């Protein structure tokens, strides 16, 4: 938190940074601060129903309502696999980004993954090299804002990050 405030102050004093760029920096730092706050209540791989409910309520009641034009919310997600009753043997992380665009009723939603599970993301072939290119970020355009405000949307996205899958059952 302190580092982000110092960064904003540094750019504010820089005469080479335009007002538009400075505004983007402030919005980015605000998004990161919100994500850090969200991460303090995030019940990653705990299977704790109460904590998961509190997380969903925070997203629906605080994060999404504050989503104004040009602002982005960042929600960590992921998945885990347990092969025994106590240990998690595999874990993957993703980030969900929701960016409010000019239209009042839609947003841009992105799923970012660069680790485990990225083999399930779309691929394309490079025109110049014929290499297979991974699309680590999937972007969904014009997602209705009422879907982003729906707790069931977030429940299904975040469930695998809170409740690791048990392979023994």
């Amino acid at each position: 938190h302190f580092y982000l405030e110092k960064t904003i102050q540094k750019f504010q004093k820089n005469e080479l940074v335009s007002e538009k760029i400075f505004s983007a920096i402030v919005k980015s730092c605000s998004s990161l601060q919100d994500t850090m706050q969200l991460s303090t209540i995030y019940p990653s791989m705990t299977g704790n129903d109460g904590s998961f409910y509190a997380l969903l309520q925070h997203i629906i009641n605080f994060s999404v309502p504050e989503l104004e034009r040009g602002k982005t919310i960042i929600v960590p997600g992921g998945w885990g696999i347990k092969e025994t009753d106590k240990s998690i043997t595999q874990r993957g992380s993703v980030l969900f980004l929701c960016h409010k665009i000019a239209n009042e009723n839609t947003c841009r939603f992105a799923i970012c993954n660069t680790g485990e599970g990225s083999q399930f993301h779309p691929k394309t072939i490079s025109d110049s090299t014929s290499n297979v290119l991974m699309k680590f970020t999937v972007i969904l355009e014009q997602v209705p804002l009422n879907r982003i405000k729906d707790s069931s949307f977030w429940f299904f996205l975040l469930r695998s990050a809170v409740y690791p899958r048990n392979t023994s059952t």
Side-chain angles (χ1 to χ4, degrees):
H1 182 71
F2 175 76
Y3 178 74
L4 291 175
E5 287 178 7
K6 287 292 184 189
T7 301
I8 290 172
Q9 290 173 1
K10 179 180 174 182
F11 279 107
Q12 192 172 21
K13 293 176 184 176
N14 188 336
E15 296 172 2
L16 300 176
V17 176
S18 71
E19 191 172 319
K20 187 175 181 179
I21 291 174
F22 179 72
S23 175
I25 291 169
V26 169
K27 286 180 183 179
S28 297
C29 287
S30 174
S31 294
L32 290 173
Q33 286 174 335
D34 293 347
T35 303
M36 288 188 299
Q37 181 183 4
L38 188 64
S39 69
T40 63
I41 63 168
Y42 202 90
S44 180
M45 302 299 149
T46 63
N48 185 307
D49 295 336
S51 296
F52 189 34
Y53 178 77
L55 173 68
L56 293 173
Q57 290 301 305
H58 183 88
I59 292 169
I60 297 305
N61 294 325
F62 298 105
S63 299
V64 174
E66 292 181 9
L67 190 59
E68 57 194 41
R69 182 176 170 257
K71 188 173 178 187
T72 302
I73 57 173
I74 306 167
V75 179
W79 53 270
I81 296 176
K82 290 170 48 171
E83 291 185 15
T84 65
D85 287 337
K86 298 195 183 231
S87 65
I88 296 173
T89 57
Q90 291 181 349
R91 182 181 288 216
S93 298
V94 298
L95 287 176
F96 301 108
L97 290 87
C98 183
H99 180 77
K100 182 76 168 70
I101 51 181
N103 182 331
E104 288 296 316
N105 298 315
T106 64
C107 63
R108 182 175 295 126
F109 192 82
I111 304 162
C112 303
N113 183 14
T114 59
E116 294 291 328
S118 59
Q119 69 270 23
F120 301 111
H121 282 245
K123 299 168 186 63
T124 189
I125 304 294
S126 169
D127 291 335
S128 60
T129 65
S130 298
N131 290 337
V132 176
L133 303 174
M134 300 288 289
K135 292 187 178 183
F136 293 113
T137 301
V138 176
I139 300 173
L140 306 171
E141 299 286 346
Q142 298 182 347
V143 175
L145 198 54
N146 62 352
R147 293 221 178 130
I148 302 300
K149 293 178 180 179
D150 187 343
S151 61
S152 61
F153 173 81
W154 292 103
F155 174 85
F156 285 107
L157 283 178
L158 302 176
R159 180 175 174 230
S160 60
V162 177
Y163 302 97
R165 184 169 57 100
N166 192 338
T167 60
S168 63
T169 56

